[in-house]
Amino acid sequence: ILGIETSCDDTAAAVLRGGRLASSVIASPRVHAGVGGVVPELASRAHQRLIVPTVEAALEAAGVTRDALDAVAVTYGPGLAGSLLVGLSFGKALAFGLDVPLVGVNHLDGHIYSVFVTEEDATQDGSAARVPPFPYLCLTVSGGHTQRVRVDEGFQHTVLGTTRDDAAGEAFDKVAKMLGLGYPGGTVEDKLAREGDPAAHTWPDPRLDRRKYPDEPYGFSFSGLKTAVLYHLRGLADAERDAAMQGQPLADLCASCQQTVVDALVGAIRDAVAATGIRAVAIVGGVSANSRLRADAQTAADADGFDLFVPRITYSIDNAAMIAGTGHFQLAAGHTSPLDLTAVPNLKV
Ligand code: KG4
Ligand code: ZN
């Protein structure tokens, strides 16, 4: 099965053989570094440039030719319309040309599945790959999404809560933009934060106040963090602001913002484990690459006695291995898509 992912700015392709990952290629166009965010038109043009070489690279790395493919799995939403269309049109044409089934995959289902990605050579010693049992709690944290879901047998899932505004990754990206750091912000802040003091500043808690939102016990609001940092910087005189945006003060800003997000996410996981009694937790999506989140979530898992599952970093960020894997699963369940499948930018989980 060939998997294709073009929902945001990265062009990705992967090949799954017998349910195991044979290759996974991610091409990051690096057209957004100086912009501080994704520009849809730049992203879709980059996908057009990269889709053929990326798919060819994935086939070559897996040592297969197009004719060997049994199905094409492709992300059809959610994401940027122009970006989705490039991958989807390519996937449809390929499936049609090869006369194999097309499997449309929800990007969010892909992230939820990502903890099941098993590389071909990972299990050569005969040991079973470590995957969560059903049901598990899944925290999807990326540049576009923040949600907690309960995942039951057959990847049936129920949404427990989401964010009212910005996604967790957006909190990183928007703060990074204000601080003059590159895009994506999370990676840069993660690195700078290692030298900073997480307690240097106190920022608003992104978890929704239960007294104000009794119907959304699992909700978040990340926009207050960005606004608080903005007002903090605005409140400084020019020289002070320049000083705050470099060296130790910059590291302190990154570390304290990161800790605010991480505390909210880890606290939210602990609450969900306590409330549901489910003792298997996955954290997926680009923000699950964050080193502090991984470390603090593991500490919480050890303290509270739940099992934590986090994908390898290449499967945390957007990738096609998770799309091919979800496609494999859907195909096995008899779910294929018609060739007139359209891109659905606001597709929900
Ligand atoms: O899953 P993903 O690649 O794309 C979406 O589906 O949105 O997630 C991208 C997001 C960006 O907001 C980026 O800043 C964030 O993941 N991210 C991180 C880290 N690496 C990527 N956030 C915090 N720490 C990281 N190490
Ligand atoms: Zn994603």
PDB file of all heavy atoms in Angstrom, residues 178 222-232:
ATOM      1  N   MET A 178       6.347  35.786  17.535  1.00  0.00           N
ATOM      2  CA  MET A 178       6.514  37.038  18.287  1.00  0.00           C
ATOM      3  C   MET A 178       7.947  37.219  18.755  1.00  0.00           C
ATOM      4  O   MET A 178       8.446  38.326  18.866  1.00  0.00           O
ATOM      5  CB  MET A 178       5.619  37.011  19.536  1.00  0.00           C
ATOM      6  CG  MET A 178       4.213  37.429  19.287  1.00  0.00           C
ATOM      7  SD  MET A 178       3.385  37.450  20.879  1.00  0.00           S
ATOM      8  CE  MET A 178       2.379  36.008  20.757  1.00  0.00           C
ATOM      9  N   PHE A 222      -5.953  27.877  24.128  1.00  0.00           N
ATOM     10  CA  PHE A 222      -4.520  28.233  24.085  1.00  0.00           C
ATOM     11  C   PHE A 222      -4.271  29.672  23.666  1.00  0.00           C
ATOM     12  O   PHE A 222      -3.132  30.131  23.696  1.00  0.00           O
ATOM     13  CB  PHE A 222      -3.761  27.286  23.141  1.00  0.00           C
ATOM     14  CG  PHE A 222      -3.555  25.922  23.712  1.00  0.00           C
ATOM     15  CD1 PHE A 222      -4.421  24.888  23.418  1.00  0.00           C
ATOM     16  CD2 PHE A 222      -2.505  25.679  24.592  1.00  0.00           C
ATOM     17  CE1 PHE A 222      -4.255  23.627  23.964  1.00  0.00           C
ATOM     18  CE2 PHE A 222      -2.325  24.426  25.147  1.00  0.00           C
ATOM     19  CZ  PHE A 222      -3.201  23.394  24.828  1.00  0.00           C
ATOM     20  N   SER A 223      -5.340  30.399  23.276  1.00  0.00           N
ATOM     21  CA  SER A 223      -5.093  31.737  22.731  1.00  0.00           C
ATOM     22  C   SER A 223      -4.633  32.720  23.817  1.00  0.00           C
ATOM     23  O   SER A 223      -3.932  33.685  23.530  1.00  0.00           O
ATOM     24  CB  SER A 223      -6.331  32.251  22.008  1.00  0.00           C
ATOM     25  OG  SER A 223      -7.378  32.420  22.924  1.00  0.00           O
ATOM     26  N   GLY A 224      -5.022  32.480  25.081  1.00  0.00           N
ATOM     27  CA  GLY A 224      -4.639  33.392  26.161  1.00  0.00           C
ATOM     28  C   GLY A 224      -3.136  33.448  26.381  1.00  0.00           C
ATOM     29  O   GLY A 224      -2.583  34.496  26.766  1.00  0.00           O
ATOM     30  N   LEU A 225      -2.459  32.348  26.123  1.00  0.00           N
ATOM     31  CA  LEU A 225      -1.008  32.301  26.318  1.00  0.00           C
ATOM     32  C   LEU A 225      -0.311  33.271  25.358  1.00  0.00           C
ATOM     33  O   LEU A 225       0.508  34.100  25.759  1.00  0.00           O
ATOM     34  CB  LEU A 225      -0.509  30.866  26.105  1.00  0.00           C
ATOM     35  CG  LEU A 225       0.996  30.644  26.059  1.00  0.00           C
ATOM     36  CD1 LEU A 225       1.658  31.088  27.363  1.00  0.00           C
ATOM     37  CD2 LEU A 225       1.321  29.168  25.801  1.00  0.00           C
ATOM     38  N   LYS A 226      -0.714  33.175  24.091  1.00  0.00           N
ATOM     39  CA  LYS A 226      -0.131  34.042  23.058  1.00  0.00           C
ATOM     40  C   LYS A 226      -0.390  35.515  23.396  1.00  0.00           C
ATOM     41  O   LYS A 226       0.502  36.360  23.322  1.00  0.00           O
ATOM     42  CB  LYS A 226      -0.770  33.612  21.738  1.00  0.00           C
ATOM     43  CG  LYS A 226      -0.893  34.626  20.664  1.00  0.00           C
ATOM     44  CD  LYS A 226      -1.903  34.174  19.622  1.00  0.00           C
ATOM     45  CE  LYS A 226      -3.326  34.518  20.027  1.00  0.00           C
ATOM     46  NZ  LYS A 226      -4.351  33.997  19.142  1.00  0.00           N
ATOM     47  N   THR A 227      -1.627  35.832  23.829  1.00  0.00           N
ATOM     48  CA  THR A 227      -1.983  37.214  24.158  1.00  0.00           C
ATOM     49  C   THR A 227      -1.173  37.693  25.362  1.00  0.00           C
ATOM     50  O   THR A 227      -0.701  38.831  25.386  1.00  0.00           O
ATOM     51  CB  THR A 227      -3.497  37.306  24.476  1.00  0.00           C
ATOM     52  OG1 THR A 227      -4.198  36.589  23.466  1.00  0.00           O
ATOM     53  CG2 THR A 227      -3.966  38.725  24.511  1.00  0.00           C
ATOM     54  N   ALA A 228      -1.015  36.822  26.356  1.00  0.00           N
ATOM     55  CA  ALA A 228      -0.255  37.205  27.550  1.00  0.00           C
ATOM     56  C   ALA A 228       1.198  37.518  27.197  1.00  0.00           C
ATOM     57  O   ALA A 228       1.776  38.491  27.703  1.00  0.00           O
ATOM     58  CB  ALA A 228      -0.328  36.086  28.589  1.00  0.00           C
ATOM     59  N   VAL A 229       1.786  36.710  26.322  1.00  0.00           N
ATOM     60  CA  VAL A 229       3.179  36.960  25.915  1.00  0.00           C
ATOM     61  C   VAL A 229       3.249  38.277  25.131  1.00  0.00           C
ATOM     62  O   VAL A 229       4.156  39.101  25.336  1.00  0.00           O
ATOM     63  CB  VAL A 229       3.744  35.789  25.067  1.00  0.00           C
ATOM     64  CG1 VAL A 229       5.138  36.110  24.546  1.00  0.00           C
ATOM     65  CG2 VAL A 229       3.760  34.506  25.877  1.00  0.00           C
ATOM     66  N   LEU A 230       2.255  38.504  24.275  1.00  0.00           N
ATOM     67  CA  LEU A 230       2.211  39.743  23.481  1.00  0.00           C
ATOM     68  C   LEU A 230       2.170  40.962  24.400  1.00  0.00           C
ATOM     69  O   LEU A 230       2.955  41.900  24.246  1.00  0.00           O
ATOM     70  CB  LEU A 230       0.971  39.711  22.572  1.00  0.00           C
ATOM     71  CG  LEU A 230       0.767  40.930  21.685  1.00  0.00           C
ATOM     72  CD1 LEU A 230       1.827  40.956  20.586  1.00  0.00           C
ATOM     73  CD2 LEU A 230      -0.633  40.907  21.042  1.00  0.00           C
ATOM     74  N   TYR A 231       1.281  40.950  25.415  1.00  0.00           N
ATOM     75  CA  TYR A 231       1.164  42.087  26.337  1.00  0.00           C
ATOM     76  C   TYR A 231       2.423  42.249  27.176  1.00  0.00           C
ATOM     77  O   TYR A 231       2.838  43.359  27.474  1.00  0.00           O
ATOM     78  CB  TYR A 231      -0.089  41.941  27.215  1.00  0.00           C
ATOM     79  CG  TYR A 231      -1.366  42.233  26.454  1.00  0.00           C
ATOM     80  CD1 TYR A 231      -2.587  41.705  26.857  1.00  0.00           C
ATOM     81  CD2 TYR A 231      -1.354  43.044  25.321  1.00  0.00           C
ATOM     82  CE1 TYR A 231      -3.758  41.968  26.152  1.00  0.00           C
ATOM     83  CE2 TYR A 231      -2.513  43.307  24.605  1.00  0.00           C
ATOM     84  CZ  TYR A 231      -3.717  42.769  25.020  1.00  0.00           C
ATOM     85  OH  TYR A 231      -4.858  43.024  24.331  1.00  0.00           O
ATOM     86  N   HIS A 232       3.014  41.128  27.539  1.00  0.00           N
ATOM     87  CA  HIS A 232       4.267  41.187  28.303  1.00  0.00           C
ATOM     88  C   HIS A 232       5.328  41.924  27.490  1.00  0.00           C
ATOM     89  O   HIS A 232       5.990  42.833  27.998  1.00  0.00           O
ATOM     90  CB  HIS A 232       4.728  39.769  28.637  1.00  0.00           C
ATOM     91  CG  HIS A 232       6.119  39.704  29.196  1.00  0.00           C
ATOM     92  ND1 HIS A 232       6.420  40.075  30.483  1.00  0.00           N
ATOM     93  CD2 HIS A 232       7.303  39.339  28.620  1.00  0.00           C
ATOM     94  CE1 HIS A 232       7.726  39.938  30.685  1.00  0.00           C
ATOM     95  NE2 HIS A 232       8.284  39.479  29.569  1.00  0.00           N
TER      96      HIS A 232
END
